[in-house]
Amino acid sequence: GGRDAQADDRLEAEEGGRAAFAEHPGIRLVASNGSAAARFLGTRPVLPVRVLQLPSTSPAYARMALGEKIRVWSAICGFLDG
């Protein structure tokens, strides 16, 4: 049923995530785009990198001004190469 399919999807995503970290050992950060993504990451096994919760980039998230979103999101720049 639906629940089994959802569990299969989650397992596949977790296996894909582990494979991504194994294949790309230079990954140093996982950034969540909003609180829903952060909640999802919080239910996963401990990630081998830093996890940073960032505000949603959705225009529907209007509690934070665009300039403030840009300032907060710029925190990822220190993790980018080049």
Side-chain angles (χ1 to χ4, degrees):
R3 274 190 97 102
D4 292 339
Q6 288 175 344
D8 289 345
D9 288 346
R10 282 193 301 273
L11 180 59
E12 185 177 327
E14 288 177 15
E15 289 172 355
R18 282 192 293 274
F21 285 112
E23 292 173 22
H24 304 282
I27 295 173
R28 299 178 301 186
L29 175 75
V30 172
S32 69
N33 181 10
S35 60
R39 281 192 304 276
F40 173 80
L41 289 172
T43 65
R44 311 286 41 99
V46 175
L47 296 174
V49 296
R50 182 170 176 198
V51 176
L52 182 61
Q53 180 179 344
L54 297 167
S56 174
T57 56
S58 169
Y61 180 68
R63 288 183 285 172
M64 184 179 287
L66 177 60
E68 182 65 6
K69 286 182 186 183
I70 292 169
R71 187 191 69 72
V72 174
W73 268 87
S74 69
I76 66 172
C77 292
F79 291 89
L80 302 174
D81 291 331

